């Protein structure tokens, strides 16, 4: 839960420090500008609040790793929900309004996470997880989207090292295989989730794992 807080705080701080012109730059999410990604983070924060306020009594059906639905086709930006995010982001008109909304809802989500019983069972997406497992899954969400945020912004701060390391561990559990030690945590996540293609040298190092890439998390 501490890692959730550190990852989420770092991501919100990175957004808060962006100059207005950066909101019109490309993000690492296909088809989304930075402003679209920030709008998605507002929705993510709302999802955290909703989930933490949805206790259930049945046994967990997922954990932090099996929470993810894993596909092999990277998003194209044409999904109707992705397109809706673009329209919602455009409605804000000014970056300061998006910053304010993320800070407002995001701070509330962070406080709710800090107050939650880690052993409480909660429901989301038709599944049941402990709060601890749910928030650990979101370390991956925050870390990947932090990488998306700064993908084309040279001056923006990246995600915390511990969030990168934990997310790599979870991705390797999903893959059932480890990435070569020569891969940084950042590169393992970018290549592993299809955010960039491996170089020829990286593909050679990956061996048979290269044939199973990418692991698209949704």
């Amino acid at each position: 839960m501490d890692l959730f807080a550190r990852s989420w705080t770092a991501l919100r701080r990175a957004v808060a420090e962006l100059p207005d012109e950066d909101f019109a730059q490309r993000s690492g999410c296909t088809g989304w500008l930075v402003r679209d990604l920030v709008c998605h983070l507002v929705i993510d924060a709302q999802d955290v609040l909703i989930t933490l306020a949805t206790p259930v009594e049945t046994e967990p059906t997922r954990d932090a790793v099996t929470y993810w639905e894993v596909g092999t086709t990277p998003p194209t930006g044409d999904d109707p929900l992705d397109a809706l995010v673009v329209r919602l982001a455009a409605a804000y008109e000014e970056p300061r309004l998006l910053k304010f909304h993320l800070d407002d809802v995001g701070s509330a989500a962070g406080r709710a996470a800090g107050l939650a019983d880690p052993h409480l069972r909660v429901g989301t997406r038709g599944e049941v997880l402990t709060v601890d497992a749910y928030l650990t899954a979101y370390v991956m969400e925050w870390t990947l989207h932090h990488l998306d945020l700064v993908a084309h912004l040279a001056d923006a701060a990246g995600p915390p090292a511990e969030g990168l390391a934990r997310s790599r561990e979870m991705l390797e559990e999903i893959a059932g295989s480890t990435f070569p030690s020569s891969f940084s945590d950042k590169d393992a996540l970018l290549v592993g989730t299809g955010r960039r293609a491996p170089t020829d040298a990286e593909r050679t190092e990956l061996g048979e794992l290269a044939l199973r890439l990418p692991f698209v998390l949704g």
Side-chain angles (χ1 to χ4, degrees):
M1 294 175 75
D2 287 344
L3 189 50
F4 170 95
R6 290 196 295 274
S7 300
W8 185 219
T9 299
L11 178 50
R12 286 164 35 226
R13 183 185 301 117
V15 171
E17 293 175 352
L18 292 179
D20 286 358
E21 56 268 25
D22 282 353
F23 280 70
Q25 298 298 317
R26 289 182 298 146
S27 78
C29 296
T30 302
W32 279 2
L33 302 177
V34 167
R35 72 179 186 187
D36 306 322
L37 174 58
V38 174
C39 185
H40 173 74
L41 295 177
V42 172
I43 296 170
D44 266 353
Q46 293 172 339
D47 285 345
V48 170
L49 285 168
I50 291 168
T51 299
L52 295 179
T54 310
V56 295
E57 296 182 355
T58 55
E59 291 295 316
T61 58
R62 301 284 180 105
D63 60 26
V65 172
T66 59
Y67 167 83
W68 298 100
E69 299 291 339
V70 184
T72 58
T73 305
T76 62
D78 297 328
D79 181 87
L81 288 178
D82 291 345
L84 175 61
V85 169
V86 173
R87 294 197 296 273
L88 286 173
Y92 280 88
E93 296 185 350
E94 298 180 38
R96 65 178 179 85
L97 299 176
L98 257 177
K99 286 183 177 182
F100 172 80
H101 199 182
L102 179 62
D103 180 66
D104 192 34
V105 181
S107 296
R111 290 192 299 271
L115 293 170
D117 177 353
H119 303 294
L120 181 71
R121 300 164 189 167
V122 291
T124 183
R125 306 199 305 185
E127 303 291 346
V128 180
L129 297 89
T130 64
V131 164
D132 180 63
Y134 175 70
L135 296 181
T136 299
Y138 257 76
V139 171
M140 175 87 84
E141 178 81 356
W142 301 148
T143 300
L144 290 176
H145 280 328
H146 200 146
L147 292 173
D148 293 331
L149 180 76
V150 305
H152 304 286
L153 304 177
D155 296 330
E162 59 268 37
L164 288 166
R166 183 68 182 98
S167 297
R168 178 186 185 147
E169 290 174 0
M170 288 190 282
L171 181 61
E172 290 179 337
E173 287 187 60
I174 289 168
S177 182
T178 59
F179 286 83
S181 59
S182 60
F183 278 56
S184 69
D185 294 335
K186 175 183 174 180
D187 287 329
L189 291 169
L190 292 175
V191 171
T193 62
R195 282 166 164 80
R196 76 165 177 84
T199 65
D200 290 342
E202 287 172 335
R203 187 174 294 278
T204 298
E205 286 191 82
L206 287 164
E208 292 184 0
L209 180 57
L211 302 176
R212 298 169 52 217
L213 297 179
F215 299 96
V216 179
L217 309 182

